[in-house]
Amino acid sequence: MLAREVLEELIRVLGRDNVLTEQEDLLTYAYDATAAMKHHKPDVVVAPLTTEQVADVVKIAMRYHVPIYTRGSGTNLSGGTIPIAGGIVLSMLNFNKILEVDQDNLTATVQPGVIIQTLNDEAAKYGLLYPPDPGTVTTATMGGSVSECSGGLRGLKYGVTKHYIMGLQIVLANGEVIRWGGKTVKNVTGYDLVALFTGAEGTLGIITEIIVKLIPAPEAHKSLLAVFDDLDKAGGAIAAIIRNKIIPATLEILDNVTIQTVENFVHAGLPMDAEAVLLCEVDGYKEVVQREAVLVEQILNDEGAVQVKIAKDDKERDLLWLARRSALPALAQKRPTTVLEDATVPRSKIPDMLKAIRSIATKHNLQIATFGHAGDGNLHPTILTDEREAEEMKRVHLAVDEIFETALALGGTLSGEHGIGIAKMKYLDREFGEAGVAALRRLKEALDPNYLLNPGKIVRRD
Amino acid sequence: MLAREVLEELIRVLGRDNVLTEQEDLLTYAYDATAAMKHHKPDVVVAPLTTEQVADVVKIAMRYHVPIYTRGSGTNLSGGTIPIAGGIVLSMLNFNKILEVDQDNLTATVQPGVIIQTLNDEAAKYGLLYPPDPGTVTTATMGGSVSECSGGLRGLKYGVTKHYIMGLQIVLANGEVIRWGGKTVKNVTGYDLVALFTGAEGTLGIITEIIVKLIPAPEAHKSLLAVFDDLDKAGGAIAAIIRNKIIPATLEILDNVTIQTVENFVHAGLPMDAEAVLLCEVDGYKEVVQREAVLVEQILNDEGAVQVKIAKDDKERDLLWLARRSALPALAQKRPTTVLEDATVPRSKIPDMLKAIRSIATKHNLQIATFGHAGDGNLHPTILTDEREAEEMKRVHLAVDEIFETALALGGTLSGEHGIGIAKMKYLDREFGEAGVAALRRLKEALDPNYLLNPGKIVRRD
């Protein structure tokens, strides 16, 4: 319960309209897109308009020891925006301006509340592209995306969010406002705090401005679908494409459960009995796209694909990608609860990981569909379940534990793109050991000694 | 002066042969490649063979409060490897193995003492490339290069060292050994410590193993030389190339003083009276290289180049790049001391920066030649001077101050690729403010509370 003075001070700084305290308002900030997570209502939701107001809110929170949970669209998938200890939710949705697209320096400067797709629409006017492409591109904010270091479908060729963040304005936990980085490609001045704040899930500081790198949009693209009756052959095809020095923009895999579910949902012509399909897109200059598409087709055939289909026009291409993008919504319709993980392995381990997931599903008698970014080893094993079924949920938790153990055993990582948040905290020491987690904690405490910024995420007070 | 017990413990752990104490040995570790820097002899130089030995050395240093300066080839340019407070120099040159090139995952795993070029030679056997390309590529070690986040000639298209470092094994200041990152393209598990240790100049931990990203080597390349009689036109040409959505692998500039000095040195056919030359290389698939080279030639002509020459074969190409790579050695022959800076600005500000450097040279009656990576805004104003001339050195220091002030005023940064080390510490608060420097200091103290790892670099104890 918030002290009355805190509320009064917040209203004094932000005005009555930007301070929400009605129960029905608070309720909508009690959860995010993560499945099977306990809801927690904040005490107040504030929506500042300026960086100075954000700094003022931080100073008030510091004075009264009230936690702050910075929030964009709340699409995150590891419980990262849930206000687990009450306090202030700081909505950045008023920070919704694209401040500049700089064609000469290939940068854009945006406020953190800008939707990723809005930036891309603006960049497209100049023939430019902001490559990070998470599934939530049309709803997630840039601030949330930077804080989670979003991945998405273009990771293999273009990298992920951290590869495109050049500068940040940050409000620190002590209320100081600092700029790190800028518009220069090269910058080795001091520690790389732009990188440290990227993916820090709002636990180290509050982002109030972002400079991103843009690239020239590729002039052409071509998509292919390959059908496999064997997981190892699909894995072999992925390796063969890379060994032939082709780096597709996108290289996705859908397993049999996903294929069947998606096909029933969108009728894209996927083969219901296939063990796996690969979806591949090459992009770039038109001559290169042509050459690479022919080569990829040949490799897929050589590696034993039952069928390979090149999308002959934009309509066919769009249908293929609609199928891929429908994987999650289609699966989500099958059972009330969809536990979506993002265990990630080196790409050469994709077949091993897929087989392990399958045997974990059998062992625990669960329905697990797997799809994801095969090209960068980032799979989404998706457990279809019902959080009201206590006994089944026990098996779900066991299966999740085993999925993470398998990923780590294969040289992978706990999270490829969804972050640690609350959901994966308990696994952290399996990847880094206790000494590694202690190092993370010391960094947290260096920048937020009182655990006021998004407390209870990534690392907890010892 | 080192306590006798420290030496005895080091010898016990490392063996007599890997512990150097002779004065003539110590002398060669008293400096690095930075000009006009006071030398400092260490008390002892150790050369461990294993990560466990590194951890043992750290524990001994911790117990007796002795500083450790980790060192590769000592090519760095900001005083980062000088043992300013005595103590232990930890040479990593025994860590000289390439442990793996993984073709399926496009990674290499190397020890930190491997020379950058050695890695590239090995990668080339597989048709792969490690893009970071500092001037010292044939002498600098991977560990030093990661610790300084080296840039070089390919920054514009391929980025810099930090864009290629995927995983690190680190010995922390408390002697714990941790692995961060790995072979997965996507990894958002905990804070991005791989990024934090990259460019940390050995002040936060000691790197004992490195996983880097490799890319398919481009199959073709073409180089162009363009001559300008006006700096603004050269700047306009840089902007025009980018606006036409061409991202050359390399786009370098030499100013008039550099041109004259280099031409006298290598006789590459550079025009002695030009205000500036641009050197450009496009690379990639052969069709693309052909298309881009023609377009770049046309743009350069449209933007007012006096002459544009496309290298017609490898011999002509090699001569052009020999000219560029000779800039520093040629300039270094003119006067006893060469103060090489790396002030960096957004690329659109290159003409402004070049003109400012020229007027700073006139104002302080100094000879300043400028060359560098125009495509990424990373210029190397090079002051030709003599450190024995006290009065002239005063003017040099004033000029350096003004160069940094100008870079910051133009939206740039203190260091594009040479690091902060000792040389640029005093300027840090101009870029970040005192609050920003305090944040860096808190991070340092979180991981190295006793300032034992490369103390006196980047941030000093308050």
Side-chain angles (χ1 to χ4, degrees):
Chain A
M1 192 50 196
L2 217 54
R4 217 187 56 199
E5 304 93 288
V6 178
L7 212 56
E8 284 168 1
E9 288 214 39
L10 289 171
I11 291 169
R12 187 176 49 74
V13 165
L14 301 169
R16 189 72 197 87
D17 286 353
N18 294 315
V19 178
L20 306 180
T21 50
E22 296 295 325
Q23 288 306 307
E24 48 274 48
D25 288 327
L26 301 183
L27 209 58
T28 60
Y29 293 89
Y31 55 90
D32 59 23
T34 320
M37 277 276 161
K38 201 166 170 303
H39 295 190
H40 292 271
K41 266 189 307 187
D43 294 306
V44 59
V45 176
V46 300
L49 295 159
T50 65
T51 299
E52 292 64 37
Q53 285 185 346
V54 173
D56 285 341
V57 170
V58 169
K59 285 173 193 160
I60 294 168
M62 193 171 53
R63 208 151 51 236
Y64 293 96
H65 278 266
V66 182
I68 299 183
Y69 306 85
T70 309
R71 186 183 176 104
S73 298
T75 56
N76 101 77
L77 291 164
S78 52
T81 32
I82 300 177
I84 51 171
I88 302 168
V89 161
L90 182 81
S91 167
M92 294 302 282
L93 294 181
N94 286 332
F95 281 69
N96 59 2
K97 287 185 195 57
I98 295 174
L99 302 173
E100 184 193 44
V101 173
D102 180 339
Q103 289 188 81
D104 289 335
N105 293 306
L106 295 178
T107 62
T109 305
V110 304
Q111 293 187 321
V114 168
I115 304 299
I116 307 171
Q117 187 61 49
T118 307
L119 167 60
N120 251 329
D121 293 343
E122 185 65 21
K125 294 179 190 165
Y126 303 90
L128 298 172
L129 175 73
Y130 173 69
D133 182 33
T136 50
V137 66
T138 55
T139 43
T141 63
M142 285 297 298
S145 185
V146 173
S147 295
E148 298 290 327
C149 187
S150 301
L153 274 71
R154 296 198 189 102
L156 172 56
K157 178 168 180 178
Y158 292 106
V160 298
T161 299
K162 66 181 172 188
H163 299 112
Y164 294 89
I165 307 306
M166 300 178 68
L168 293 173
Q169 186 183 58
I170 297 278
V171 178
L172 293 174
N174 59 11
E176 300 270 10
V177 182
I178 321 266
R179 283 181 180 277
W180 308 100
K183 288 187 182 180
T184 65
V185 176
K186 291 177 177 166
N187 183 326
V188 292
T189 302
Y191 303 128
D192 191 350
L193 268 79
V194 173
L196 186 64
F197 287 113
T198 301
E201 306 187 14
T203 65
L204 300 180
I206 298 170
I207 297 169
T208 53
E209 202 175 296
I210 303 163
I211 301 176
V212 302
K213 174 183 167 180
L214 303 174
I215 63 168
E219 68 176 20
H221 44 69
K222 215 171 248 305
S223 294
L224 300 95
L225 169 77
V227 178
F228 288 90
D229 58 8
D230 181 293
L231 280 181
D232 279 323
K233 287 184 190 167
I238 295 165
I241 291 169
I242 304 295
R243 281 199 182 228
N244 277 277
K245 312 285 183 287
I246 297 170
I247 311 292
T250 304
L251 183 53
E252 301 284 308
I253 193 164
L254 308 183
D255 77 350
N256 177 263
V257 182
T258 310
I259 293 167
Q260 294 188 8
T261 312
V262 167
E263 185 53 25
N264 284 326
F265 193 74
V266 296
H267 310 294
L270 302 183
M272 297 289 276
D273 55 348
E275 271 299 287
V277 298
L278 292 182
L279 280 165
C280 178
E281 179 158 294
V282 291
D283 70 5
Y285 282 102
K286 60 183 191 301
E287 305 93 318
V288 171
V289 166
Q290 187 53 36
R291 201 208 301 184
E292 286 190 340
V294 169
L295 209 51
V296 169
E297 184 182 21
Q298 188 190 319
I299 293 165
L300 290 166
N301 281 319
D302 290 350
E303 295 293 323
V306 178
Q307 187 200 343
V308 181
K309 193 172 138 183
I310 301 189
K312 65 174 194 294
D313 53 27
D314 275 359
K315 202 179 142 204
E316 280 193 16
R317 171 184 182 245
D318 291 347
L319 192 59
L320 285 184
W321 293 108
L322 175 66
R324 165 60 187 88
R325 291 200 184 264
S326 301
L328 185 57
L331 291 167
Q333 298 220 335
K334 294 198 80 168
R335 296 286 305 278
T337 304
T338 314
V339 176
L340 176 72
E341 291 303 344
D342 70 328
T344 300
V345 294
R347 79 171 68 85
S348 62
K349 303 294 185 189
I350 289 272
D352 294 344
M353 188 69 194
L354 286 168
K355 281 183 265 183
I357 293 168
R358 188 171 299 184
S359 69
I360 290 167
T362 306
K363 177 177 166 190
H364 296 290
N365 189 26
L366 292 167
Q367 208 177 359
I368 309 185
T370 304
F371 62 96
H373 318 300
D376 56 36
N378 176 208
L379 290 177
H380 293 309
T382 305
I383 308 178
L384 310 179
T385 182
D386 185 341
E387 62 182 303
R388 296 160 303 185
E389 305 274 353
E391 187 276 331
E392 181 168 328
M393 285 309 286
K394 265 188 208 159
R395 286 182 281 121
V396 168
H397 292 306
L398 289 173
V400 169
D401 287 356
E402 288 175 26
I403 287 171
F404 287 129
E405 270 161 29
T406 309
L408 292 180
L410 292 171
T413 185
L414 295 172
S415 180
E417 55 183 21
H418 294 172
I420 298 302
I422 308 169
K424 275 166 258 176
M425 276 179 76
K426 67 170 175 167
Y427 302 108
L428 262 192
D429 62 353
R430 298 192 199 173
E431 183 155 342
F432 300 135
E434 279 181 32
V437 177
L440 296 183
R441 191 178 294 119
R442 289 197 300 275
L443 289 176
K444 164 72 174 174
E445 292 174 0
L447 292 178
D448 180 22
N450 300 312
Y451 284 77
L452 292 182
L453 300 181
N454 206 8
K457 318 297 167 72
I458 302 185
V459 280
R460 218 178 266 128
R461 206 191 290 262
D462 206 5
Chain B
M1 193 52 196
L2 216 56
R4 217 186 57 198
E5 305 93 288
V6 178
L7 212 55
E8 285 168 2
E9 289 214 38
L10 290 171
I11 291 170
R12 187 177 49 75
V13 165
L14 301 170
R16 190 69 197 89
D17 287 353
N18 294 316
V19 178
L20 307 179
T21 51
E22 297 294 324
Q23 289 304 308
E24 48 272 46
D25 287 327
L26 301 182
L27 209 59
T28 60
Y29 293 90
Y31 55 90
D32 58 21
T34 319
M37 276 276 161
K38 202 166 169 300
H39 296 190
H40 292 270
K41 268 189 306 187
D43 295 306
V44 59
V45 177
V46 301
L49 294 159
T50 66
T51 298
E52 292 64 37
Q53 286 185 345
V54 173
D56 285 341
V57 171
V58 169
K59 285 173 194 159
I60 295 168
M62 193 171 55
R63 208 151 54 236
Y64 292 95
H65 278 269
V66 182
I68 299 183
Y69 306 86
T70 310
R71 185 182 177 105
S73 297
T75 56
N76 101 77
L77 292 165
S78 53
T81 33
I82 300 177
I84 51 171
I88 303 168
V89 162
L90 182 80
S91 167
M92 295 301 282
L93 294 182
N94 286 331
F95 281 71
N96 58 2
K97 287 184 196 57
I98 295 173
L99 302 172
E100 184 193 44
V101 173
D102 181 338
Q103 290 187 78
D104 289 335
N105 292 307
L106 295 179
T107 61
T109 304
V110 303
Q111 293 187 320
V114 168
I115 303 298
I116 306 172
Q117 187 60 49
T118 308
L119 167 60
N120 251 328
D121 292 343
E122 186 63 23
K125 294 178 190 166
Y126 303 89
L128 299 172
L129 175 73
Y130 173 69
D133 182 32
T136 50
V137 66
T138 55
T139 44
T141 64
M142 286 297 297
S145 185
V146 173
S147 294
E148 297 290 328
C149 187
S150 300
L153 274 71
R154 296 199 190 102
L156 171 57
K157 180 168 178 177
Y158 293 106
V160 298
T161 299
K162 67 181 171 188
H163 299 112
Y164 294 89
I165 307 306
M166 298 177 71
L168 293 173
Q169 186 183 57
I170 297 279
V171 177
L172 293 175
N174 58 11
E176 301 270 11
V177 182
I178 321 269
R179 284 182 179 276
W180 308 102
K183 288 187 182 180
T184 64
V185 176
K186 291 177 177 167
N187 182 325
V188 293
T189 302
Y191 304 128
D192 190 350
L193 268 77
V194 173
L196 186 63
F197 286 114
T198 301
E201 305 187 13
T203 65
L204 301 180
I206 298 170
I207 299 170
T208 54
E209 202 175 296
I210 305 164
I211 301 175
V212 302
K213 173 182 167 182
L214 303 174
I215 63 168
E219 67 176 20
H221 45 69
K222 216 173 247 303
S223 294
L224 300 95
L225 168 78
V227 179
F228 288 90
D229 58 8
D230 181 294
L231 282 179
D232 279 323
K233 286 183 191 167
I238 296 165
I241 291 170
I242 304 294
R243 280 198 184 229
N244 277 278
K245 309 287 183 288
I246 298 171
I247 311 292
T250 304
L251 183 51
E252 301 284 305
I253 194 165
L254 308 183
D255 77 350
N256 177 263
V257 183
T258 311
I259 293 167
Q260 294 189 6
T261 312
V262 167
E263 184 54 24
N264 284 326
F265 193 73
V266 296
H267 311 293
L270 301 183
M272 298 288 276
D273 55 346
E275 271 300 287
V277 298
L278 292 182
L279 280 165
C280 177
E281 179 158 295
V282 292
D283 71 5
Y285 282 101
K286 59 182 191 300
E287 306 92 319
V288 170
V289 166
Q290 186 54 36
R291 201 212 295 191
E292 286 191 340
V294 169
L295 209 51
V296 169
E297 183 182 21
Q298 187 190 319
I299 294 165
L300 290 166
N301 281 319
D302 290 351
E303 295 294 324
V306 178
Q307 187 200 346
V308 181
K309 194 172 137 181
I310 301 189
K312 66 173 193 298
D313 54 27
D314 275 359
K315 203 180 139 204
E316 280 193 14
R317 171 186 181 244
D318 291 347
L319 192 59
L320 284 183
W321 293 108
L322 174 66
R324 165 62 186 87
R325 290 199 185 264
S326 301
L328 186 56
L331 291 167
Q333 298 219 334
K334 294 199 79 167
R335 295 286 305 279
T337 305
T338 314
V339 175
L340 177 72
E341 290 304 343
D342 69 327
T344 301
V345 294
R347 79 171 66 85
S348 62
K349 302 295 184 187
I350 288 273
D352 294 344
M353 189 67 193
L354 286 169
K355 281 184 264 181
I357 292 168
R358 188 171 298 185
S359 69
I360 290 168
T362 307
K363 176 176 166 191
H364 295 291
N365 190 25
L366 291 166
Q367 209 177 357
I368 308 185
T370 304
F371 62 95
H373 319 299
D376 56 37
N378 176 207
L379 290 177
H380 293 310
T382 306
I383 308 179
L384 310 179
T385 182
D386 185 342
E387 60 182 307
R388 296 162 303 187
E389 305 272 355
E391 187 276 330
E392 182 168 326
M393 287 308 287
K394 265 188 206 157
R395 285 183 279 124
V396 168
H397 292 306
L398 288 173
V400 169
D401 286 358
E402 288 175 26
I403 287 170
F404 287 130
E405 270 160 29
T406 308
L408 292 180
L410 292 171
T413 184
L414 295 173
S415 180
E417 55 184 20
H418 295 171
I420 298 302
I422 308 169
K424 276 166 257 176
M425 276 179 75
K426 67 170 176 169
Y427 302 108
L428 263 191
D429 62 353
R430 299 193 199 171
E431 183 155 342
F432 300 135
E434 279 180 31
V437 176
L440 295 184
R441 191 177 293 120
R442 289 197 299 276
L443 290 175
K444 164 71 174 174
E445 292 174 359
L447 292 178
D448 179 22
N450 300 312
Y451 283 79
L452 293 182
L453 300 181
N454 205 8
K457 317 298 168 69
I458 301 184
V459 281
R460 219 179 265 127
R461 206 192 289 265
D462 206 5

